[in-house]
Amino acid sequence: MRPIVLATLAALLALLLSGCSQADRQQSLVCVAIATAIGPDNRPVTIRSVEPLGGIENAVRVIFTAAGDPRTLFADCAFAGGALSVGRTEILAVRGYEGPMPGWRLALLDRWFLDQPGAVMTAVGETGWQPPSFALLPVALPAAVGYALQQTVNALNLAAFYVPLALAYALIYGLIGRINMAFGEMAMIGSFGAVFGLVTAIGSHVPSLAGILAMALAVAVSLTALAGWLATRTIVLPLIERPPRSFIVATVGLGLVISEGLRIAQGSREIWLQPMLESQIVLTGGPFPVVITAMRTLVVVTSALAVLGLMLCIRRSSFGRAWRAVADDRMMARLCGIDPGAVTALTFILAASIAALAGTIVALSYGGTSYSGGFLLGLKALIACLIGGGTLGGAVIGGLLLAALETGWSAYFGSGERDIFVLIVMTILFLLRPDGLIGRRAALEEGRLIRLS
């Protein structure tokens, strides 16, 4: 298993490094639009190449030609920041084939052309230029097959945050038989933490993209794990021996407190990030090429490795053995020297950390976050967990199934009634399999109700 993981990480690293030698996508689009603006009047422009300008940081050179003009023309564009900076698309200077552009003309170009909604993409579209992509498997597939494969890739992106969040529910449900209704809001803590980590890392001028993303994940996990520890001390342990209804009501209240706290602290408006790792990787060719961005590749691989690591932890580590012992028989585990309270607290912190990963993936995949996104996200992940029967393996299957249903319906029927369709299908599955796809059967032994996988 370890060689497979190392090979996956090496492939991902090579993929990301391959994109580092290319010009930034957003800056390339802006510079191509500028080339159309400074080219000979009323002559169609053909883009020959777009590449980083050597020796100058955050600069792009566009080589182009104009119809009827035998010359090879160029436009050099210098920007105020890099891929993760606020000034990523802010033009500092332009040098064309006629020399440097005066400041007054640059200001007019920026105000009356670049700042106009849709102007950049319209100008780029007229040239017919497309940002470069990396062909991985140049295999021509029929259009229907390519479209279906593209939706499978899209479903993996959804599963990248549904599966970890469903596992967070399964960790708690499998241990104490209770449902924590606040995991969706905890994922939003992680989402906001990731945004704060990104902003802090950028402001601190962290030199590498890997360091920036690692800091974002570290802040997200730290904040959410702290929230999980506080919830364990104030809600989980005091109510663990109470009826399940009390636990559910308390965690619903906890979710409301977290949601309103985020709204008061950060406002009700959504927080957006600049696009990152947008380089497209062409998986297959044909009439409908299958593509995936570097960011989606990163989040899918990270989520898969996290899920694999959690499974190995539960099966092979000392904590995993203690978790399974407490899940099977809490009293017998105590008699064997295991502290069920400590195991429960550690499990809740671990589950909160997994939820933070899901929230981080949401922020990176969709480029932003909002205080109100946790309820529906958490409800869907809870349904995925229960569809799987409350087990860890079942949570993975439930998360994949939920992502497949959402993506399939959106792809072929639109997203208008997607949630209704998903809830109907899940309800039917509950009616047909009340114990879930990988359900638990109950056995009565010495007056105790023991859950068996």
Side-chain angles (χ1 to χ4, degrees):
M1 184 66 67
R2 182 175 297 176
I4 296 176
V5 174
L6 293 177
T8 303
L9 291 174
L12 179 60
L13 180 60
L15 171 66
L16 296 179
L17 291 178
S18 67
C20 294
S21 62
Q22 301 292 323
D24 180 85
R25 178 186 174 90
Q26 291 294 321
Q27 294 178 351
S28 298
L29 291 172
V30 173
C31 200
V32 167
I34 290 176
T36 65
I38 68 174
D41 293 339
N42 301 321
R43 295 184 182 182
V45 168
T46 301
I47 305 300
R48 298 301 183 189
S49 66
V50 180
E51 57 192 21
L53 185 58
I56 301 178
E57 189 177 4
N58 304 321
V60 175
R61 164 165 285 189
V62 175
I63 306 294
F64 66 99
T65 57
D69 193 325
R71 299 175 297 174
T72 298
L73 311 175
F74 71 92
D76 296 339
C77 309
F79 296 86
L84 297 178
S85 301
V86 176
R88 180 186 188 185
T89 57
E90 179 185 345
I91 286 289
L92 291 182
V94 172
R95 181 180 61 189
Y97 56 93
E98 295 180 343
M101 180 178 291
W104 64 267
R105 187 180 176 189
L106 181 61
L108 290 176
L109 180 71
D110 188 44
R111 173 65 180 85
W112 298 107
F113 177 51
L114 299 179
D115 283 349
Q116 299 304 308
V120 170
M121 297 308 299
T122 300
V124 173
E126 291 175 353
T127 67
W129 179 78
Q130 294 289 336
S133 58
F134 309 101
L136 187 60
L137 298 173
V139 179
L141 296 177
V145 177
Y147 185 74
L149 184 57
Q150 181 65 65
Q151 302 313 314
T152 302
V153 172
N154 296 340
L156 290 177
N157 187 63
L158 279 179
F161 55 82
Y162 277 144
V163 170
L165 196 53
L167 281 172
Y169 282 105
L171 279 171
I172 299 302
Y173 183 77
L175 184 69
I176 61 177
R178 301 288 190 271
I179 296 175
N180 173 29
M181 298 297 294
F183 270 135
E185 284 72 19
M186 287 188 172
M188 290 302 99
I189 294 178
S191 186
F192 276 98
V195 173
F196 298 154
L198 283 171
V199 173
T200 302
I202 294 171
S204 302
H205 304 288
V206 175
S208 68
L209 179 60
I212 292 173
L213 295 177
M215 186 169 181
L217 182 59
V219 173
V221 171
S222 299
L223 289 177
T224 313
L226 177 61
W229 178 79
L230 291 174
T232 302
R233 303 298 299 179
T234 58
I235 295 176
V236 177
L237 294 180
L239 296 178
I240 196 170
E241 302 295 339
R242 300 290 183 89
R245 184 178 302 175
S246 302
F247 191 90
I248 291 177
V249 170
T251 53
V252 167
L254 174 63
L256 292 174
V257 169
I258 294 175
S259 179
E260 282 300 295
L262 291 175
R263 184 187 66 82
I264 294 172
Q266 300 301 319
S268 58
R269 298 180 61 183
E270 295 185 356
I271 298 177
W272 295 103
L273 297 170
Q274 291 195 28
M276 294 179 292
L277 297 178
E278 299 170 285
S279 300
Q280 292 186 340
I281 306 159
V282 180
L283 300 180
T284 64
F288 195 96
V290 180
V291 299
I292 185 173
T293 64
M295 177 56 75
R296 287 195 171 189
T297 304
L298 177 64
V299 300
V300 169
V301 172
T302 301
S303 178
L305 292 178
V307 170
L308 178 62
L310 177 63
M311 293 296 190
L312 291 177
C313 174
I314 294 299
R315 289 189 174 274
R316 298 186 179 181
S317 68
S318 57
F319 167 76
R321 289 190 292 270
W323 184 91
R324 285 182 278 124
V326 175
D328 286 341
D329 192 320
R330 197 174 185 88
M331 181 60 71
M332 182 58 68
R334 184 184 296 274
L335 294 176
C336 292
I338 299 174
D339 184 356
V343 173
T344 302
L346 288 176
T347 301
F348 211 94
I349 293 173
L350 177 60
S353 301
I354 295 296
L357 173 63
T360 301
I361 290 175
V362 169
L364 295 179
S365 296
Y366 293 99
T369 186
S370 172
Y371 81 98
S372 61
F375 175 75
L376 187 58
L377 178 64
L379 179 61
K380 290 180 179 179
L382 172 60
I383 293 174
C385 170
L386 297 179
I387 282 293
T391 64
L392 298 181
V396 174
I397 294 175
L400 292 172
L401 176 61
L402 177 61
L405 289 174
E406 284 198 4
T407 304
W409 180 269
S410 299
Y412 294 98
F413 302 102
S415 59
E417 294 81 19
R418 179 190 62 193
D419 293 338
I420 297 175
F421 166 74
V422 170
L423 293 176
I424 289 176
V425 172
M426 294 298 186
T427 302
I428 293 174
L429 287 177
F430 275 127
L431 292 176
L432 297 178
R433 295 293 301 269
D435 294 330
L437 299 178
I438 306 180
R440 297 169 178 263
R441 59 185 178 86
L444 194 64
E445 178 182 328
E446 297 181 0
R448 298 192 307 272
L449 188 65
I450 301 179
R451 300 184 301 277
L452 302 178
S453 299

